[in-house]
Amino acid sequence: MSTETAVAAQIPVCRVAIVGAQRQRVARVAAIIHADESLASVDTLAVSGSSSVDQSSSRNNTSRLQELPSGVPPQVTIEYLPCVATFDSYEDEKGESVRYLAKLEYHGPNGTLVNGKSLAPFFDHQHESDDDDNNGEVQNPFPGIAGVAIGCGVDTDDDFAKVKTFLDALSSSCISEATDVDVSMIIECIQPNTEFSSMKEENDSFRDMSDEKKREAVKNRTIGPGKMAFFAYEVAEKAVQQRWGKELLTGNKPETDTQDVTQNDADEAAPELVEIEEAAPHFIDPEKTRYACKRCRSVLFSTDDLEDPPHAQSLHNFGRRGQTSGQGMCQNLFIADPLPWMHGCNEMEGKLHCPKCQTKVGHYSWTGAQCSCGTWVTPAILVPVSKVDEMKPASQNIIASSGPLMFAQPPNVIVQTQSSTLDL
């Protein structure tokens, strides 16, 4: 096997979703991408800013490979996923209209499928790649969906936030617990050119152009669907740069960098955690059902901390594989108020990490998130059930999951004790 064939056989795939409000517009963008070979892959050396990259000559493949750190491929193939976001609204108890994301579906590689499909299988693929050895093949470094380019009619901050929180909830629910990589998608919304105040104004200007000027704009990627196509490619470039940018600059291996960053983050977070612990201790009743971090078995919260009353299930449509629309099961636990170990949830949205082992256990969003059952919950502090183990009340002497139970709680969590405690 030649060097070029071997390299081609190991080219990883980076998935980028193209999200719009109208299927026809998304399909037009997909058609432009498929017609332009320069948008089909990302050169890792080009992303790193190397001046020695010559993509036009295959004779430089050997020298280019020598410039790359170990484990970094010379090229990444982009798989574009045309998707359509459908919004709807309902009246709340005050009679006010509440807009929500009804569904976000994949419409095939060309965006031409009339009936969309769930995005969940793209995230479920992580389970399959982690559970087998793939006959010795290198695991794809981009599990799930690596980037999302939003536009084609989805251009308000509110709609962008709804799409983003939906994707965050979907990825948190579907990505396998077996992976140690904290996968994060790059989610960006296209912005208007400087001469326009909004994307609506820019799109109206494109529609008023003559056919000749439209073809020129598409070719130059300055406005309209041509601009959106190149924007999706730029999102893919950012995903590749995020994955290997540090290795390309320093030549260090990903494992060492990731370990150092994780350790440094944990060390820096320790003083802040102690300050919150002293200010707001949290009591967990052992006679309530409790939930512990799946990795280190530290108790995080109990049923007393969950939303009360719970949200109505299947209030909005949300198609998932193997389920009919609007009949999904709740796969998330929604917490009523921020707990001390959550650092106050002071940002508009963010991730939740176990205070002991720093494993990601969920996320929060004050603009709301969609549960796997379909209901939009606002605000949302959610923990996927796949991230925690359920522990029955101590008096029942039953633990739902196997493994040694650790009552070494995070310092801010105080578990009440009783005379009839569990014999551990």
mmCIF file of all heavy atoms in Angstrom, residues 85-88 100-104 166 316-319 370 374 376:
data_model
loop_
_atom_site.group_PDB
_atom_site.id
_atom_site.type_symbol
_atom_site.label_atom_id
_atom_site.label_comp_id
_atom_site.label_asym_id
_atom_site.label_seq_id
_atom_site.Cartn_x
_atom_site.Cartn_y
_atom_site.Cartn_z
ATOM 1 N N ALA A 85 -34.690 23.627 11.547
ATOM 2 C CA ALA A 85 -35.254 23.912 12.868
ATOM 3 C C ALA A 85 -36.673 24.448 12.688
ATOM 4 O O ALA A 85 -36.888 25.403 11.941
ATOM 5 C CB ALA A 85 -34.388 24.926 13.604
ATOM 6 N N THR A 86 -37.620 23.822 13.375
ATOM 7 C CA THR A 86 -39.020 24.238 13.303
ATOM 8 C C THR A 86 -39.435 24.816 14.646
ATOM 9 O O THR A 86 -39.305 24.153 15.680
ATOM 10 C CB THR A 86 -39.935 23.050 12.949
ATOM 11 O OG1 THR A 86 -39.497 22.473 11.713
ATOM 12 C CG2 THR A 86 -41.379 23.494 12.810
ATOM 13 N N PHE A 87 -39.942 26.033 14.623
ATOM 14 C CA PHE A 87 -40.354 26.711 15.847
ATOM 15 C C PHE A 87 -41.878 26.788 15.914
ATOM 16 O O PHE A 87 -42.566 26.828 14.898
ATOM 17 C CB PHE A 87 -39.761 28.122 15.913
ATOM 18 C CG PHE A 87 -38.265 28.150 15.981
ATOM 19 C CD1 PHE A 87 -37.495 28.156 14.819
ATOM 20 C CD2 PHE A 87 -37.613 28.150 17.207
ATOM 21 C CE1 PHE A 87 -36.106 28.179 14.884
ATOM 22 C CE2 PHE A 87 -36.226 28.173 17.285
ATOM 23 C CZ PHE A 87 -35.484 28.190 16.120
ATOM 24 N N ASP A 88 -42.390 26.819 17.132
ATOM 25 C CA ASP A 88 -43.827 26.934 17.363
ATOM 26 C C ASP A 88 -44.031 27.772 18.617
ATOM 27 O O ASP A 88 -43.061 28.213 19.249
ATOM 28 C CB ASP A 88 -44.466 25.546 17.512
ATOM 29 C CG ASP A 88 -45.949 25.558 17.163
ATOM 30 O OD1 ASP A 88 -46.541 26.654 17.127
ATOM 31 O OD2 ASP A 88 -46.513 24.473 16.943
ATOM 32 N N TYR A 100 -41.025 28.322 21.183
ATOM 33 C CA TYR A 100 -40.133 27.223 21.523
ATOM 34 C C TYR A 100 -39.709 26.479 20.267
ATOM 35 O O TYR A 100 -40.321 26.612 19.197
ATOM 36 C CB TYR A 100 -40.797 26.248 22.506
ATOM 37 C CG TYR A 100 -41.963 25.471 21.922
ATOM 38 C CD1 TYR A 100 -41.774 24.204 21.364
ATOM 39 C CD2 TYR A 100 -43.249 26.001 21.924
ATOM 40 C CE1 TYR A 100 -42.830 23.483 20.831
ATOM 41 C CE2 TYR A 100 -44.307 25.297 21.397
ATOM 42 C CZ TYR A 100 -44.101 24.038 20.849
ATOM 43 O OH TYR A 100 -45.151 23.338 20.306
ATOM 44 N N LEU A 101 -38.639 25.718 20.404
ATOM 45 C CA LEU A 101 -38.137 24.896 19.304
ATOM 46 C C LEU A 101 -38.894 23.579 19.296
ATOM 47 O O LEU A 101 -38.738 22.753 20.197
ATOM 48 C CB LEU A 101 -36.636 24.654 19.468
ATOM 49 C CG LEU A 101 -35.967 23.770 18.414
ATOM 50 C CD1 LEU A 101 -36.002 24.446 17.051
ATOM 51 C CD2 LEU A 101 -34.527 23.473 18.817
ATOM 52 N N ALA A 102 -39.743 23.382 18.295
ATOM 53 C CA ALA A 102 -40.564 22.169 18.236
ATOM 54 C C ALA A 102 -39.750 20.955 17.824
ATOM 55 O O ALA A 102 -39.908 19.866 18.387
ATOM 56 C CB ALA A 102 -41.732 22.372 17.260
ATOM 57 N N LYS A 103 -38.846 21.111 16.867
ATOM 58 C CA LYS A 103 -38.014 19.981 16.436
ATOM 59 C C LYS A 103 -36.834 20.501 15.625
ATOM 60 O O LYS A 103 -36.868 21.583 15.042
ATOM 61 C CB LYS A 103 -38.822 18.977 15.611
ATOM 62 C CG LYS A 103 -39.496 19.567 14.388
ATOM 63 C CD LYS A 103 -40.358 18.523 13.679
ATOM 64 C CE LYS A 103 -41.088 19.148 12.487
ATOM 65 N NZ LYS A 103 -41.934 18.138 11.770
ATOM 66 N N LEU A 104 -35.797 19.706 15.613
ATOM 67 C CA LEU A 104 -34.600 19.969 14.820
ATOM 68 C C LEU A 104 -34.214 18.654 14.172
ATOM 69 O O LEU A 104 -33.801 17.716 14.861
ATOM 70 C CB LEU A 104 -33.470 20.504 15.701
ATOM 71 C CG LEU A 104 -32.128 20.775 15.014
ATOM 72 C CD1 LEU A 104 -32.285 21.791 13.902
ATOM 73 C CD2 LEU A 104 -31.096 21.256 16.023
ATOM 74 N N PHE A 166 -30.799 23.105 22.835
ATOM 75 C CA PHE A 166 -31.330 21.818 22.373
ATOM 76 C C PHE A 166 -30.186 20.855 22.040
ATOM 77 O O PHE A 166 -30.181 19.697 22.468
ATOM 78 C CB PHE A 166 -32.216 22.043 21.151
ATOM 79 C CG PHE A 166 -32.666 20.778 20.469
ATOM 80 C CD1 PHE A 166 -33.816 20.122 20.858
ATOM 81 C CD2 PHE A 166 -31.924 20.231 19.435
ATOM 82 C CE1 PHE A 166 -34.221 18.953 20.234
ATOM 83 C CE2 PHE A 166 -32.316 19.073 18.796
ATOM 84 C CZ PHE A 166 -33.471 18.430 19.202
ATOM 85 N N HIS A 316 -44.262 18.975 23.985
ATOM 86 C CA HIS A 316 -43.943 19.402 22.629
ATOM 87 C C HIS A 316 -43.394 18.220 21.851
ATOM 88 O O HIS A 316 -42.917 17.246 22.437
ATOM 89 C CB HIS A 316 -42.918 20.542 22.652
ATOM 90 C CG HIS A 316 -43.276 21.630 23.608
ATOM 91 N ND1 HIS A 316 -42.446 22.024 24.628
ATOM 92 C CD2 HIS A 316 -44.397 22.373 23.718
ATOM 93 C CE1 HIS A 316 -43.027 22.986 25.315
ATOM 94 N NE2 HIS A 316 -44.201 23.214 24.786
ATOM 95 N N ASN A 317 -43.462 18.304 20.524
ATOM 96 C CA ASN A 317 -42.996 17.208 19.676
ATOM 97 C C ASN A 317 -41.478 17.168 19.631
ATOM 98 O O ASN A 317 -40.824 18.174 19.497
ATOM 99 C CB ASN A 317 -43.538 17.370 18.248
ATOM 100 C CG ASN A 317 -45.029 17.139 18.172
ATOM 101 O OD1 ASN A 317 -45.576 16.403 18.984
ATOM 102 N ND2 ASN A 317 -45.683 17.777 17.216
ATOM 103 N N PHE A 318 -40.952 15.940 19.712
ATOM 104 C CA PHE A 318 -39.499 15.746 19.626
ATOM 105 C C PHE A 318 -39.260 14.314 19.191
ATOM 106 O O PHE A 318 -39.435 13.382 19.972
ATOM 107 C CB PHE A 318 -38.855 16.016 20.978
ATOM 108 C CG PHE A 318 -37.367 15.717 21.018
ATOM 109 C CD1 PHE A 318 -36.569 16.044 19.950
ATOM 110 C CD2 PHE A 318 -36.798 15.140 22.135
ATOM 111 C CE1 PHE A 318 -35.217 15.801 19.983
ATOM 112 C CE2 PHE A 318 -35.445 14.885 22.183
ATOM 113 C CZ PHE A 318 -34.659 15.220 21.099
ATOM 114 N N GLY A 319 -38.909 14.111 17.901
ATOM 115 C CA GLY A 319 -38.718 12.765 17.387
ATOM 116 C C GLY A 319 -37.379 12.201 17.776
ATOM 117 O O GLY A 319 -36.362 12.845 17.600
ATOM 118 N N GLN A 370 -34.630 21.653 26.127
ATOM 119 C CA GLN A 370 -35.670 20.695 25.793
ATOM 120 C C GLN A 370 -35.311 19.322 26.350
ATOM 121 O O GLN A 370 -34.237 18.791 26.091
ATOM 122 C CB GLN A 370 -35.870 20.615 24.281
ATOM 123 C CG GLN A 370 -37.165 19.919 23.888
ATOM 124 C CD GLN A 370 -37.564 20.256 22.461
ATOM 125 O OE1 GLN A 370 -36.734 20.611 21.657
ATOM 126 N NE2 GLN A 370 -38.836 20.137 22.144
ATOM 127 N N GLY A 374 -39.484 15.802 25.084
ATOM 128 C CA GLY A 374 -40.035 16.780 24.163
ATOM 129 C C GLY A 374 -40.401 18.100 24.795
ATOM 130 O O GLY A 374 -40.528 19.100 24.106
ATOM 131 N N TRP A 376 -40.194 21.631 26.641
ATOM 132 C CA TRP A 376 -39.216 22.704 26.834
ATOM 133 C C TRP A 376 -39.323 23.195 28.275
ATOM 134 O O TRP A 376 -40.388 23.608 28.717
ATOM 135 C CB TRP A 376 -39.479 23.839 25.863
ATOM 136 C CG TRP A 376 -38.414 24.894 25.903
ATOM 137 C CD1 TRP A 376 -38.383 26.001 26.675
ATOM 138 C CD2 TRP A 376 -37.209 24.911 25.136
ATOM 139 N NE1 TRP A 376 -37.245 26.723 26.450
ATOM 140 C CE2 TRP A 376 -36.491 26.083 25.509
ATOM 141 C CE3 TRP A 376 -36.655 24.067 24.178
ATOM 142 C CZ2 TRP A 376 -35.273 26.417 24.951
ATOM 143 C CZ3 TRP A 376 -35.444 24.410 23.630
ATOM 144 C CH2 TRP A 376 -34.764 25.571 24.011
#
